[in-house]
C-alpha cells in the first residue's frame, strides 16, 4: 500500500565503498526526485526525472549516479563513499495537478 | 532564483495554545504552489497544507491554516489548539506550477509543544 517506498532504510558502510538505494512509487506519477537531508535538516534537491528523463541535476558530484529504468522507479548509486555523504536521502514523486510531493520514508546513510 | 526563508529556527508553544510559523519567499513567477510539510521524529515528511498562488482564499485544514500574502511574498502557518503530536520540524516549500519541477525548501522550524 505504501505510495513511495525506499530500500534500505538504513545503511552503514566504510569510506570508499559503493552503495545503492532503490525507490519505487505506485502512484502513477511521471516525476520523481532524490533529496538529501543533512545533519542540520536542510533539504536539498539532487536529481529529478520526468518519465525516465533526467531534468534536474543539481551540482552533485559524479560519484552519485541516478538511474530510472521506468517511470515508477528511481535508484541512486553512490561510488567511493565519503564521510560527507552521511545524510538521509529521500525519494519523492510529484502529483501532476496538485504539485504535492509524496516522500518515501528516507534512507539514513552513515559512512564511517 | 527562488528562495524560501524561515527565520525561526526553533519555537515552543503550550499545549492547546496557538502558534504561528513564518515563511517568506522570493520569486518572479506568477503561478506557483506553496506548501507546509511536517517532519516528526519518525523522519517521514507529511504534507500539512497547500496553497495555490492564484487563489486569494487562505487554505485551511482542520487546526492548520495559512496567512498567504502574495504581494508581500509571505506564507505563515497557524496551528490552533496545539497538540503534543504537533511536535516536529516544519518546512515551508515553494514550487513553480510551470512544470520546472524544482521544489525549494526553507531551512525548517523546530516546533516543540509543551505539556
Amino acid at each position: 500500500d505504501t505510495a513511495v517506498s525506499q530500500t534500505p532504510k538504513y545503511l552503514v558502510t566504510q569510506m570508499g565503498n559503493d552503495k545503492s538505494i532503490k525507490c519505487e512509487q505506485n502512484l502513477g506519477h511521471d516525476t520523481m526526485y532524490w533529496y538529501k537531508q543533512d545533519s542540520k535538516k536542510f533539504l536539498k534537491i539532487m536529481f529529478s526525472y520526468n518519465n525516465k528523463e533526467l531534468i534536474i541535476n543539481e551540482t552533485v558530484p559524479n560519484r552519485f549516479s541516478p538511474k530510472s529504468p521506468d517511470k515508477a522507479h528511481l535508484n541512486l548509486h553512490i561510488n567511493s563513499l565519503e564521510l560527507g555523504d552521511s545524510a538521509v536521502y529521500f525519494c519523492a514523486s510529484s502529483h501532476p495537478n496538485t504539485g504535492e510531493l509524496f516522500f518515501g520514508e528516507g534512507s539514513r546513510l552513515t559512512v564511517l | 532564483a527562488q528562495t524560501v526563508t524561515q527565520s525561526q529556527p526553533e519555537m515552543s508553544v503550550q499545549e492547546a495554545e496557538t502558534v504561528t510559523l513564518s515563511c517568506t519567499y522570493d520569486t518572479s513567477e506568477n503561478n506557483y504552489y506553496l506548501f507546509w510539510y511536517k517532519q516528526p521524529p519518525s523522519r517521514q515528511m507529511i504534507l500539512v497544507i497547500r496553497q495555490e498562488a492564484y487563489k486569494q482564499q487562505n487554505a485551511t485544514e482542520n487546526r492548520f491554516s495559512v496567512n498567504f500574502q502574495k504581494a508581500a511574498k509571505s506564507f505563515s502557518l497557524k496551528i490552533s489548539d496545539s497538540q503534543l503530536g504537533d511536535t516536529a520540524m516544519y518546512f515551508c516549500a515553494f514550487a513553480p506550477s510551470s512544470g520546472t519541477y524544482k521544489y525549494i525548501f526553507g531551512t525548517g522550524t523546530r516546533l516543540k509543544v509543551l505539556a
Side-chain angles (χ1 to χ4, degrees):
Chain A
D1 260 337
T2 305
V4 182
S5 58
Q6 299 178 223
T7 53
K9 302 285 189 289
Y10 297 93
L11 307 94
V12 181
T13 189
Q14 300 287 330
M15 272 199 311
N17 284 351
D18 303 339
K19 287 293 177 187
S20 291
I21 307 171
K22 295 187 175 183
C23 178
E24 176 181 5
Q25 54 99 0
N26 62 6
L27 298 167
H29 295 161
D30 288 338
T31 310
M32 295 183 72
Y33 308 78
W34 278 110
Y35 277 86
K36 178 181 180 181
Q37 187 174 44
D38 62 23
S39 57
K40 294 182 179 177
K41 302 293 187 184
F42 184 59
L43 268 164
K44 189 174 189 307
I45 190 166
M46 300 174 69
F47 302 103
S48 176
Y49 272 74
N50 181 254
N51 209 3
K52 301 193 296 176
E53 182 184 341
L54 180 66
I55 53 172
I56 294 175
N57 183 343
E58 282 289 303
T59 59
V60 178
N62 291 339
R63 300 182 294 102
F64 291 78
S65 49
K67 277 194 172 52
S68 182
D70 55 61
K71 74 175 193 177
H73 295 85
L74 180 60
N75 304 323
L76 183 65
H77 186 76
I78 316 169
N79 289 325
S80 304
L81 279 156
E82 300 177 357
L83 293 176
D85 297 332
S86 294
V88 178
Y89 292 85
F90 283 97
C91 177
S93 67
S94 56
H95 192 290
N97 297 329
T98 68
E100 179 183 351
L101 274 178
F102 291 79
F103 286 88
E105 292 175 297
S107 298
R108 180 180 293 279
L109 171 65
T110 302
V111 182
L112 303 174
Chain B
Q2 290 101 352
T3 58
V4 176
T5 301
Q6 292 179 250
S7 57
Q8 304 151 314
E10 291 187 3
M11 294 190 75
S12 61
V13 62
Q14 288 294 134
E15 204 175 2
E17 297 291 307
T18 295
V19 65
T20 299
L21 309 184
S22 301
C23 173
T24 57
Y25 59 94
D26 191 22
T27 184
S28 56
E29 303 269 349
N30 195 40
N31 296 315
Y32 47 88
Y33 302 113
L34 293 163
F35 308 89
W36 279 97
Y37 280 88
K38 167 184 176 180
Q39 187 179 37
S42 66
R43 86 171 181 234
Q44 179 70 50
M45 294 287 288
I46 303 163
L47 178 69
V48 175
I49 202 163
R50 169 184 165 272
Q51 175 84 38
E52 296 180 61
Y54 73 89
K55 289 186 177 177
Q56 290 194 333
Q57 188 172 4
N58 289 325
T60 62
E61 285 288 340
N62 301 315
R63 298 182 295 107
F64 299 87
S65 61
V66 297
N67 183 1
F68 172 49
Q69 303 286 330
K70 190 173 183 180
K73 295 183 178 153
S74 170
F75 183 61
S76 60
L77 174 70
K78 185 170 87 170
I79 306 174
S80 304
D81 186 25
S82 297
Q83 300 175 0
L84 295 177
D86 296 333
T87 293
M89 282 289 287
Y90 286 81
F91 293 95
C92 179
F94 164 97
S97 54
S98 58
T100 58
Y101 311 103
K102 195 164 179 179
Y103 294 72
I104 307 296
F105 284 82
T107 50
T109 297
R110 187 181 300 277
L111 177 67
K112 190 167 185 180
V113 180
L114 307 170

